[in-house]
Structure formats: structure tokens, C-alpha cells
Amino acid sequence: MDARSIATPLGRISISTGAIAQIVSRTAEECYGVVGLSGKGGVGRLLNRNGVSVTERDGGIAVELAVVVEYGLNLAEVAATIRSRVTYELERLTRLKVAAVDVTIKDVRASA
């Protein structure tokens, strides 16, 4: 999936998966307890989008992201907050249906 299209009365709007991944990255960065995203090469900076995957599922978009969470926090609550915020922001900013947001906690670290 290279881009998602939205039909409007005046034409089509295409949103690239890179733009969607950037929205996900920036939203995750703002979530309490997130230290960073985890890419294939270890902990990556959030703006690299290393820990974000965007695919199509059930007529909407499915997002997978791998995060590093601050030590000492409730991991389930941090993951639920990320899932909720990412879903809300994607739907608000793109008007695309979000089928799923899967959060994987790859590591736990002390914040800097």
C-alpha cells in the first residue's frame, strides 16, 4: 500500500503511507511514558519511523508500532493510551478508517 485515497465532491485526495507513519510517530512521541520507537536496528528516533508499519486491513488501515517505554510505568496503560491517541489522531487528521493499532513494547528503559 503506497497511498490511501479519499473521494470528495471535488476530486480525490491521496495520503501516502509515509505521511500516515509520520502522524503515528509524532503522536506516539507525545504519549506519556514513551521513550522512543524501536526499529529493526534497535531503538530508533521517532522521526525515522523505524518502528511503524502501515498496512490495509478490513477496509481500513492497520498500524503496527514498536515502542520503548519508561521503566516503572504500567505497560498496559501506556499501550492503551498509545492505541487510543493514535486511532483518534489518524481519524481526525486523515478521515481514514482505522481498523487496528497494534502496539508492541520492545524494551523498558529509564528516561534520560
Side-chain angles (χ1 to χ4, degrees):
M1 177 177 93
D2 291 336
R4 292 286 301 175
S5 294
I6 303 168
T8 69
L10 298 175
R12 299 187 75 67
I13 299 170
S14 294
I15 303 170
S16 73
T17 55
I20 293 169
Q22 188 170 17
I23 291 168
V24 171
S25 296
R26 289 177 186 241
T27 301
E29 180 180 39
E30 295 172 356
C31 290
Y32 178 75
V34 175
V35 175
L37 290 188
S38 178
K40 292 179 180 160
V43 177
R45 287 295 308 146
L46 283 165
L47 297 178
N48 290 353
R49 300 186 304 275
N50 286 337
V52 178
S53 169
V54 180
T55 57
E56 192 169 344
R57 185 189 312 166
D58 301 328
I61 55 173
V63 176
E64 294 179 25
L65 66 152
V67 296
V68 178
V69 175
E70 185 176 344
Y71 175 79
L73 298 178
N74 184 314
L75 302 180
E77 285 182 20
V78 173
T81 299
I82 294 167
R83 188 179 311 109
S84 175
R85 296 260 331 266
V86 165
T87 300
Y88 173 78
E89 287 298 323
L90 277 177
E91 289 178 348
R92 183 181 74 84
L93 294 172
T94 67
R95 293 189 182 178
L96 296 172
K97 178 184 178 254
V98 177
V101 176
D102 298 325
V103 179
T104 302
I105 298 172
K106 289 284 196 176
D107 200 1
V108 178
R109 297 210 176 151
S111 64

